[in-house]
Amino acid sequence: MFQPALRTLAILGLLAYTSFAHRDEEVITRDIAIIGGGASGTFSAVRLRDQGKSVILIEKESILGGHTNTYQDPVTKVPVDYGVEVFHAQQIVKDYLDRLNVSWVVAPNFGVGSIYLDGQTAQPINYTSPDLPVARWQELLQPFGDFLAKHPDINNASLTIFRFGQGLGDFLVQPTLYVFKNFGLEIVQALSTGFLAVTSQNNYEIYDHATKLLGSDVLLSSTVISTLHREDNGVTLVVQTPSGRRIVKAKKLLIAIPQKLENLRAFDLDHHEAGLFGQFKNTGYWTSLVTNTGLPAGFNTISVGADTPYNLPNVPLVYAVVPTAIDGIFDIKYGSQSSLPDDHVRREILSYVKKLQDNGFAEKVEPEFVRFNSHTPFELTVSPEKIRGGFYKQLYGLQGYRGTWYTGAAFHTQDSSLLWNFTESHVLPGLLK
Ligand SMILES: Cc1cc2nc3c(=O)[nH]c(=O)nc-3n(C[C@H](O)[C@H](O)[C@H](O)COP(=O)(O)OP(=O)(O)OC[C@H]3O[C@@H](n4cnc5c(N)ncnc54)[C@H](O)[C@@H]3O)c2cc1C
Ligand SMILES: *[C@@H]1O[C@H](CO)[C@@H](O)[C@H](O)[C@H]1NC(C)=O
Ligand SMILES: *[C@@H]1O[C@H](CO)[C@@H](O)[C@H](O)[C@H]1NC(C)=O
Ligand SMILES: *[C@@H]1O[C@H](CO)[C@@H](O)[C@H](O)[C@H]1NC(C)=O
Ligand SMILES: *[C@@H]1O[C@H](CO)[C@@H](O)[C@H](O)[C@H]1NC(C)=O
């Protein structure tokens, strides 16, 4: 109800801004302003530029890459990818990496040699991985737990599906649709034919090369602090950068950050937009590298549940403790059904390592974080009722509304390759027009 008044204020603000207040402020004029330099935003910037559009990519962190986390041993320079690991061997991925001069290989399966431990107590569990069945696809709106109960023929696959669905929170209550979007045909195929991996095993190479390619078309450590105008005839944004404020004027806007209301406050949402984005719930997901654990080299676990349906572990939990290419450093990931404070998650991870020590897997020493990253909000979901009621139809209906387009996992799925494919075929055409 305050929207028109706010809009008027914003326009007055724009006049005041441009005519009096900050006369010296640099104005950046481009065809397309892109918000968020993760998988989708960076891809969009490269592809739009290559097709003759001028772009500006605005990323709040000091590097591009979003969920990509790469740590390099300061001495040996050995890289460890503890965020995004692998891609699909699709043409779009090969073309994109070739464009960025990033060498790739199609590698055999990854993630072998783990032992099963209880997700809460870190005690060994008498669990053997069952044979994988052929999946059946239907009744996608029911909670995944109900779906499994009705389909005993895929029960054997539940823990494998769970491993690929890290970050999806409580599997048994999530609508089945989200589970299968994360464990779709491409994943099933890649399990036998192999995933595509960056040869150097340093996924940040993609974003390092993209940063160099994009040059001054990237604003790092920058955020949009307000929107002065956003309509079919263009957008005007105020952006805070490390070297002061900039006015960004663009014909079109592409929002490639997780579309939660709290992330979109600076974009002057109207009631229709806010009403849709306000419906998203989110899970929590964290990555870390931990040293001085007391664990023996090669220690490798997957969390399961002792007395839970299908041996799926309860959330929140440590998903797995996996050795890395760097001696003494373990990759530990954590997940929850909704957001949690980072400090709480840090304590939970360290307390799990202590449990491993108490349970005799490790010597009693003081574990320390080498890296800790929040990927929260991770999976954005709405209820089955909302999906049935046409939520996604309305969400997709926002493409192009008020000069604004959207991409990213909330519009498709948490998978870089599939997001590049989706962005290329369903989002960029609207921006290229
Ligand atoms: C631990 C982990 C492992 C994964 N492994 C794989 C894998 O092996 N293969 C795979 O394909 N996918 C993997 N994924 C999923 C993949 O990372 C995501 O699907 C993909 O990154 C989503 O891309 P996106 O563009 O939607 O968002 P993101 O990559 O998250 O990008 C969003 C970007 O927006 C920035 N941002 C946020 N808010 C603002 C703001 N207000 N202003 C400016 N910038 C902002 C963020 O800093 C970020 O850079 C993994 C994810 C995680 C967390
Ligand atoms: C995009 O995905 C579809 C469906 O998986 C696939 O058939 C197509 O080849 C992909 N496109 C490219 C360019 O890789
Ligand atoms: C890729 O390599 C070619 C040939 O060396 C070079 O001309 C080009 O600038 C490089 N591009 C990127 C994005 O690194
Ligand atoms: C583990 O489970 C199998 C099959 O359920 C059973 O035969 C075996 O005795 C169990 N082992 C232990 C140590 O409990
Ligand atoms: C499930 O796994 C068990 C044990 O490995 C096996 O006997 C059974 O045939 C599997 N079921 C299906 C449907 O594949």
Side-chain angles (χ1 to χ4, degrees):
M1 125 182 37
F2 304 108
Q3 218 59 38
L6 280 180
R7 202 76 59 70
T8 311
L9 272 182
I11 291 165
L12 288 175
L14 169 64
L15 290 175
Y17 216 90
T18 44
S19 356
F20 318 106
H22 300 267
R23 237 166 303 168
D24 299 335
E25 221 150 60
E26 192 187 318
V27 178
I28 299 172
T29 307
R30 294 289 195 277
D31 291 325
I32 297 145
I34 304 168
I35 315 300
S40 313
T42 304
F43 175 85
S44 303
V46 171
R47 291 292 298 138
L48 287 167
R49 256 176 59 129
D50 280 353
Q51 289 168 89
K53 295 290 178 189
S54 62
V55 303
I56 188 83
L57 176 59
I58 298 163
E59 164 59 47
K60 78 167 179 197
E61 300 295 334
S62 59
I63 53 172
L64 297 180
H67 292 310
T68 305
N69 290 146
T70 307
Y71 173 74
Q72 242 179 329
D73 184 280
V75 179
T76 62
K77 304 291 173 212
V78 170
V80 170
D81 280 317
Y82 63 105
V84 173
E85 287 182 48
V86 286
F87 305 92
H88 295 303
Q90 288 190 338
Q91 197 54 44
I92 196 150
V93 177
K94 297 174 180 173
D95 291 347
Y96 180 48
L97 297 194
D98 288 347
R99 172 69 183 95
L100 294 176
N101 288 347
V102 174
S103 156
W104 50 266
V105 289
V106 177
N109 291 349
F110 75 124
V112 286
S114 314
I115 60 166
Y116 295 103
L117 291 189
D118 186 287
Q120 315 300 324
T121 66
Q123 299 274 12
I125 283 188
N126 187 8
Y127 173 83
T128 31
S129 180
D131 300 339
L132 283 188
V134 174
R136 296 238 311 259
W137 322 99
Q138 38 179 301
E139 299 154 303
L140 292 176
L141 292 185
Q142 57 192 317
F144 190 54
D146 294 0
F147 182 89
L148 284 174
K150 283 189 201 144
H151 298 285
D153 55 334
I154 68 156
N155 289 356
N156 281 1
S158 45
L159 206 79
T160 301
I161 299 173
F162 182 74
R163 284 182 66 186
F164 279 89
Q166 276 190 10
L168 256 66
D170 186 347
F171 245 46
L172 296 180
V173 309
Q174 290 296 20
T176 302
L177 182 83
Y178 293 112
V179 174
F180 282 129
K181 277 184 79 71
N182 274 269
F183 193 83
L185 193 56
E186 293 83 2
I187 296 273
V188 175
Q189 280 166 348
L191 277 173
S192 56
T193 57
F195 288 91
L196 184 149
V198 168
T199 312
S200 61
Q201 305 209 352
N202 175 353
N203 283 334
Y204 181 64
E205 204 183 319
I206 300 172
Y207 295 94
D208 181 38
H209 291 200
T211 306
K212 288 179 183 135
L213 175 75
L214 294 168
S216 61
D217 290 343
V218 183
L219 297 176
L220 294 170
S221 306
S222 300
T223 50
V224 173
I225 53 174
S226 66
T227 296
L228 302 176
H229 181 84
R230 182 166 64 86
E231 292 303 337
D232 292 343
N233 61 357
V235 297
T236 307
L237 309 170
V238 183
V239 180
Q240 185 68 50
T241 79
S243 51
R245 290 187 178 180
R246 301 282 182 276
I247 302 291
V248 167
K249 289 183 178 221
K251 290 179 191 145
K252 292 174 178 178
L253 175 67
L254 174 61
I255 296 187
I257 62 180
Q259 287 93 1
K260 287 279 290 185
L261 268 192
E262 59 261 34
N263 285 347
L264 298 172
R265 297 240 181 264
F267 292 94
D268 178 33
L269 300 184
D270 69 14
H271 285 286
H272 177 53
E273 296 164 326
L276 286 168
F277 295 130
Q279 296 183 42
F280 277 128
K281 290 181 289 187
N282 69 273
T283 64
Y285 195 20
W286 292 263
T287 55
S288 73
L289 293 177
V290 184
T291 189
N292 206 37
T293 58
L295 290 166
F299 182 80
N300 188 348
T301 77
I302 295 174
S303 293
V304 290
D307 303 308
T308 54
Y310 319 108
N311 289 106
L312 290 175
N314 293 321
V315 286
L317 87 166
V318 161
Y319 281 113
V321 177
V322 177
T324 67
I326 304 174
D327 275 353
I329 296 187
F330 287 85
D331 174 328
I332 305 185
K333 296 195 170 71
Y334 193 88
S336 66
Q337 177 67 1
S338 51
S339 300
L340 291 173
D342 288 352
D343 280 349
H344 172 83
V345 174
R346 282 173 188 268
R347 282 195 300 272
E348 288 293 303
I349 291 176
L350 294 179
S351 123
Y352 189 83
V353 175
K354 291 285 173 75
K355 285 181 198 167
L356 290 171
Q357 297 176 350
D358 292 343
N359 293 342
F361 291 109
E363 284 171 50
K364 299 208 171 187
V365 284
E366 277 307 312
E368 283 166 43
F369 286 106
V370 177
R371 287 287 184 272
F372 176 89
N373 303 77
S374 173
H375 296 266
T376 308
F378 190 61
E379 184 80 359
L380 269 49
T381 62
V382 298
S383 66
E385 294 68 39
K386 287 173 177 164
I387 300 173
R388 204 175 284 119
F391 174 82
Y392 284 99
K393 203 171 174 186
Q394 290 177 52
L395 190 72
Y396 276 39
L398 288 179
Q399 296 290 17
Y401 177 65
R402 297 183 62 203
T404 308
W405 278 258
Y406 301 87
T407 185
F411 275 71
H412 193 51
T413 192
Q414 288 287 1
D415 182 311
S416 312
S417 314
L418 300 186
L419 278 169
W420 295 334
N421 190 322
F422 165 78
T423 304
E424 177 81 15
S425 11
H426 297 287
V427 183
L428 299 188
L431 293 163
L432 286 164
K433 256 185 221 152

